[in-house]
Amino acid sequence: MSLIFAETVIPLLGYVGAMFALITVLTTSMIYTQLKTIPRWNMPLNPVLFLLYALAGGALMAGEAKVAGILILLLTLLQIAAWMMGDGRLSAIGTDKGTATGLGSIGKVRMLESAHTARNYILDEMVHIVGRKHTHKLRIIAAILIGAFPALLLLLTPAGHVTSFVALASHILGVIVGRWLFFAEAEHVVGMYYSRG
């Protein structure tokens, strides 16, 4: 604002603003990371990914092509690692209807009848069965668009407005697919209650 209204550059304000932006990204990531009911999100790699998404996207938007290329490549590798680490985390915690109700010691627990007859928020927001059928394809699409294509474009071609725009467009599309997968693959433990997990 000092540059716009007073034609004065105050670098300290930029550093302070960047620091607060990163703190905001970190605290937002912790909203998801601290949820033990969603084991896929409840892992230390989650905040690292959020910060890397912010830094890579910021470098790309700032026109730092080579830095963005390296950060985007690193982001893609970590995102693939997070997908692989997240797979099987729900089953690894050993939670089922028996442990959730405390009745598992007397036999297999099953639901006699559904708690309600209509759709509800929990099922709409936390239990995505259809999305998981296409997970592999969507992960490949996300990995290519988030990082593989933009990183190659930024690192192997001369920097320019067209190159940066194409890389940015690809990255944004990949992030949209990746964020959708982030929620669609969540595997909330409530899915076990409805036998849909």
Side-chain angles (χ1 to χ4, degrees):
M1 287 181 56
S2 64
L3 181 61
I4 295 170
F5 295 111
E7 295 183 11
T8 305
V9 176
I10 305 174
L12 179 63
L13 291 179
Y15 293 118
V16 170
M19 181 187 69
F20 280 122
L22 289 174
I23 289 171
T24 301
V25 171
L26 180 64
T27 54
T28 301
S29 74
M30 292 310 294
I31 292 169
Y32 300 102
T33 304
Q34 57 87 31
L35 291 173
K36 290 186 172 140
T37 55
I38 305 177
R40 183 179 292 277
W41 296 350
N42 186 241
M43 58 182 176
L45 192 54
N46 202 29
V48 176
L49 273 172
F50 269 70
L51 287 170
L52 208 46
Y53 269 105
L55 291 171
L60 189 54
M61 302 250 338
E64 295 293 333
K66 300 305 177 195
V67 173
I70 292 166
L71 288 172
I72 287 172
L73 194 57
L74 180 61
L75 167 65
T76 305
L77 295 173
L78 283 177
Q79 181 61 73
I80 292 167
W83 285 328
M84 292 169 63
M85 287 172 59
D87 292 343
R89 280 182 66 87
L90 181 64
S91 59
I93 63 170
T95 299
D96 59 17
K97 290 178 191 173
T99 60
T101 59
L103 300 172
S105 61
I106 60 173
K108 183 174 165 88
V109 176
R110 62 182 174 81
M111 188 167 53
L112 179 64
E113 192 169 320
S114 180
H116 42 80
T117 57
R119 291 173 52 184
N120 66 21
Y121 168 80
I122 300 283
L123 286 174
D124 287 346
E125 294 296 320
M126 294 297 177
V127 183
H128 293 274
I129 302 299
V130 177
R132 290 191 196 130
K133 290 180 183 176
H134 305 290
T135 296
H136 187 68
K137 289 180 205 167
L138 289 171
R139 283 180 180 180
I140 291 171
I141 291 168
I144 290 169
L145 293 176
I146 286 171
F149 176 67
L152 289 173
L153 195 62
L154 293 167
L155 295 172
L156 300 178
T157 62
H161 293 302
V162 174
T163 304
S164 294
F165 178 77
V166 172
L168 178 64
S170 173
H171 182 70
I172 289 172
L173 285 172
V175 169
I176 290 169
V177 174
R179 286 294 93 187
W180 186 86
L181 272 173
F182 181 75
F183 292 101
E185 291 185 298
E187 297 177 318
H188 195 292
V189 293
V190 77
M192 291 180 200
Y193 177 77
Y194 295 99
S195 300
R196 298 188 190 181

